[in-house]
Amino acid sequence: MLIEVATDPGFSEVVASQKVNTSDNVDHNVKARVTGLRPGERYYYRFAGKTAESPVGRFQTALPASSNEPVKFAFFSCQEFASGYFNAHTLLADEEVDFIVNLGDYIYSDYGLVPPLAARPLPNLHLLNGFLSATTFEAYCERYKDYRTDANLRAMHASFPMISGVPPVSWTPDG
């Protein structure tokens, strides 16, 4: 997979390009360190595979430590997939802010509502002891994929870097 970073959304000035390997084993996730970018600048990125390109995303690098310029943050908290569509994320994607902060749960291990009360269909249900809950690493990966099917959430991610206020939980089979 090819990752490109440019100074414009049309990619006429590509400032970084890197090939990275990915596979089904990691759900085609990639992690790349891009260096040489200027502080306080807006950049655009995209991914290209053998047969398709991703939508273009944008991000802004942090200001230099000596800067006195204000930094604008927006935040969201505790989003539950089954309870509704993430309409507020569409509004966030259009804001003039520098970063988005997630102050609460990004995904939940269980669904609070199920059909017919849920606001939308639940693609990956895992029933354990009568509860629709993610109890394995694989189930959490499926739950994460469920959330990422939301177009509003993807639009927000494509528009801004996100800072998660809740540290990642380390998961082990023993709890």
Side-chain angles (χ1 to χ4, degrees), residues 4 14 17 25 29 34 36 50 60 71 89 102 105 110 114 122 124 126 133-135 138 145 158 166 170 173:
E4 290 183 303
V14 174
S17 178
N25 295 342
N29 286 296
V34 179
K50 291 180 181 177
Q60 184 160 324
V71 177
H89 292 328
N102 167 27
D105 296 314
D110 58 355
V114 297
L122 307 174
N124 294 300
H126 301 277
S133 186
T135 59
E138 292 77 17
K145 287 179 196 177
V166 177
S170 107

Side-chain angles (χ1 to χ4, degrees), residues 76 100-106 161-168:
F76 69 92
I100 300 290
V101 180
N102 167 27
L103 297 176
D105 296 314
Y106 186 79
M162 188 178 86
I163 301 165
S164 190
V166 177

Side-chain angles (χ1 to χ4, degrees), residues 60-84:
Q60 184 160 324
T61 53
L63 294 167
S66 61
S67 174
N68 289 324
E69 289 183 50
V71 177
K72 297 178 193 172
F73 293 90
F75 71 90
F76 69 92
S77 181
C78 301
Q79 57 185 17
E80 215 271 74
F81 184 86
S83 294

Side-chain angles (χ1 to χ4, degrees), residues 103-119:
L103 297 176
D105 296 314
Y106 186 79
I107 67 170
Y108 285 95
S109 63
D110 58 355
Y111 286 125
L113 298 174
V114 297
L117 297 176

Side-chain angles (χ1 to χ4, degrees), residues 4-9 11 13-16 34-46 56-62 158-161:
E4 290 183 303
V5 176
T7 58
D8 64 294
F11 286 79
E13 189 179 333
V14 174
V15 296
V34 179
T35 59
L37 302 179
R38 296 184 309 262
E41 296 290 328
R42 174 146 301 158
Y43 291 96
Y44 300 85
Y45 66 91
R46 66 182 174 195
V56 173
R58 69 176 184 185
F59 67 95
Q60 184 160 324
T61 53
S159 297
F160 301 104

